[in-house]
Amino acid sequence: MKNIVAGHVAASTTEFIELALGTPLDLWLGAEGESEMERAARMDAARDILADSPDLPDRVSRVAAEAIEAYAPELFNVALLPTRRAAGRRQYRGGVAA
């Protein structure tokens, strides 16, 4: 099965994510051994991208949810726990004890 994003075929998972987001992952995650100056420049670029593309966090969330659904759907299985009152616990009714 081919992974096609915006008309491009992604050769790897990383490339798929980068195509879906429109930015390289290193911009957000950093690179091993980067200097403080490189980190500051990367963070400035990230801030500029977020300012120019306010919908980017929504796209990131959507890509993450789609990846979870595809590769770990059990994480989306949510079961509500039954609620019950603790035995012997009294309900507070306000007021002052006599």
Side-chain angles (χ1 to χ4, degrees):
M1 179 197 277
K2 291 184 180 181
N3 292 316
I4 301 175
V5 178
H8 299 282
V9 177
S12 67
T13 303
T14 301
E15 188 175 355
F16 176 83
I17 294 170
E18 289 178 349
L19 286 170
L21 297 178
T23 62
L25 285 178
D26 287 347
L27 176 68
W28 308 105
L29 303 177
E32 190 173 330
E34 72 181 354
S35 68
E36 282 300 316
M37 185 181 284
E38 290 169 328
R39 182 180 184 283
R42 180 176 59 78
M43 296 303 280
D44 284 343
R47 275 189 286 279
D48 288 345
I49 288 172
L50 286 173
D52 290 342
S53 183
D55 69 326
L56 184 61
D58 292 334
R59 289 190 314 188
V60 170
S61 298
R62 186 173 50 252
V63 168
E66 289 170 358
I68 291 169
E69 187 175 35
Y71 297 105
E74 65 277 1
L75 294 177
F76 280 142
N77 290 341
V78 178
L80 297 176
L81 298 174
T83 58
R84 58 184 171 161
R85 292 178 70 169
R89 189 172 174 189
R90 291 203 211 158
Q91 184 177 8
Y92 176 72
R93 295 189 179 160
V96 179

